[in-house]
Amino acid sequence: MAGKPKLYYFDGRGKMESIRWLLAAAGVEFEEEFLETREQYEKLLQGGSLLFQQVPMVEIDGMKMVQTRAILSYIAAKYNLYGKDLKERALIDMYVGGTDDLMGFILMFPFLSAEDKEKQRAFIVEKATSRYFPAYEKVLKDHGQDFLVGNNFSWADVHLLEAILMVEEKKSDVLSGFPQLQAFKARISSIPSIKKFLQPGSQRKPVPDDKYVETVRRVLRMYHDMKAN
């Protein structure tokens, strides 16, 4: 029997959080090794584990996988969260890509100055409510089904729920004008594996704090303000 997937990253969200979400949605238990020192990171580099000298890195099925999208695609396909045919997979990729764009505005947020955070908060909410949420609201309304693609639970649903909750942390009532997404959020949150991941004590990470930012800066030697990688 293969061992549990092992995740190598910081003790915080970043790009690894979507991988945690997808594994949890699939009901897969996983282990984590948190990078806390530069020496840990250099050991991975010197050992040849980081193909492109970057984390996230996930050990799974005898592979040491890097590149977040590749890892997510593999997990989605392995656990039947990637549609039933090529067209459904294309739709899932398209929706995940849009959600990724929105998440990208949020991933850099903890690394900004206080002044820039306020500007970015407004920018995130504006983009969510004018570009991304209306698109998903229309998809759900037009096909009248419970899920985004093929009326089956998929990676696209997991990714969208993660993004919704991230934006709600910036503005709690951001879904007030989106009844389809409100219902979607309630449905997906009640799926047992998701519900479990949303409970206190799970491996879901909290909103990034100053300690997380300082650890990332120290390990990656980020000595000035820059976007999160």
Side-chain angles (χ1 to χ4, degrees):
M1 181 179 174
K4 296 176 184 177
K6 188 170 182 179
L7 283 50
Y8 294 80
Y9 200 67
F10 307 99
D11 187 8
R13 290 184 183 175
K15 289 198 169 186
M16 186 65 89
E17 190 70 356
S18 291
I19 296 168
R20 298 183 186 108
W21 266 87
L22 195 57
L23 285 168
V28 178
E29 294 183 359
F30 57 89
E31 299 174 347
E32 300 190 74
E33 181 171 315
F34 298 126
L35 300 181
E36 297 174 343
T37 66
R38 179 70 186 182
E39 289 71 28
Q40 283 177 285
Y41 181 63
E42 289 182 347
K43 185 177 179 181
L44 289 176
L45 289 172
Q46 292 161 6
S49 296
L50 306 181
L51 183 62
F52 300 112
Q53 302 177 26
Q54 295 171 315
V55 288
M57 191 268 281
V58 175
E59 285 188 293
I60 184 170
D61 295 342
M63 298 182 289
K64 292 183 177 180
M65 293 194 71
V66 295
Q67 291 297 325
T68 308
R69 180 59 70 95
I71 296 166
L72 288 165
S73 296
Y74 181 80
I75 294 167
K78 180 178 172 71
Y79 295 105
N80 299 314
L81 295 171
Y82 212 172
K84 70 177 186 299
D85 57 30
L86 197 58
K87 285 187 176 181
E88 288 193 357
R89 183 167 293 198
L91 287 173
I92 289 168
D93 283 340
M94 187 169 69
Y95 297 151
V96 166
T99 310
D100 257 350
D101 290 345
L102 175 56
M103 286 182 172
F105 302 138
I106 304 172
L107 283 174
M108 63 183 284
F109 188 85
F111 296 86
L112 300 175
S113 67
E115 181 182 352
D116 286 342
K117 278 183 179 178
E118 288 313 304
K119 294 177 183 175
Q120 187 69 5
R121 187 189 308 275
F123 178 81
I124 289 165
V125 171
E126 193 277 327
K127 289 298 182 187
T129 55
S130 69
R131 179 182 295 181
Y132 298 99
F133 289 174
Y136 296 117
E137 182 81 2
K138 184 177 188 302
V139 169
L140 291 166
K141 185 175 182 179
D142 285 353
H143 67 37
Q145 297 174 333
D146 288 347
F147 305 105
L148 285 171
V149 179
N151 207 26
N152 284 302
F153 182 48
S154 76
W155 173 22
D157 302 305
V158 180
H159 218 49
L160 179 54
L161 177 62
E162 182 188 0
I164 286 170
L165 297 181
M166 289 169 75
V167 179
E168 284 186 331
E169 289 168 350
K170 304 295 178 252
K171 188 175 190 292
S172 60
D173 65 347
V174 74
L175 289 186
S176 60
F178 302 99
Q180 296 289 336
L181 285 179
Q182 290 175 37
F184 172 86
K185 175 191 167 186
R187 279 196 305 275
I188 305 304
S189 297
S190 68
I191 292 171
S193 60
I194 298 289
K195 186 175 182 179
K196 181 179 179 182
F197 189 60
L198 291 173
Q199 296 300 312
S202 80
Q203 287 168 290
R204 184 185 179 210
K205 304 307 175 195
V207 176
D209 58 12
D210 290 344
K211 180 182 178 183
Y212 167 76
V213 170
E214 176 54 37
T215 300
V216 173
R217 289 188 184 281
R218 184 176 67 250
V219 173
L220 298 183
R221 293 182 174 166
M222 295 164 57
Y223 296 128
H224 51 82
D225 284 344
M226 61 188 297
K227 294 180 181 180
N229 289 321

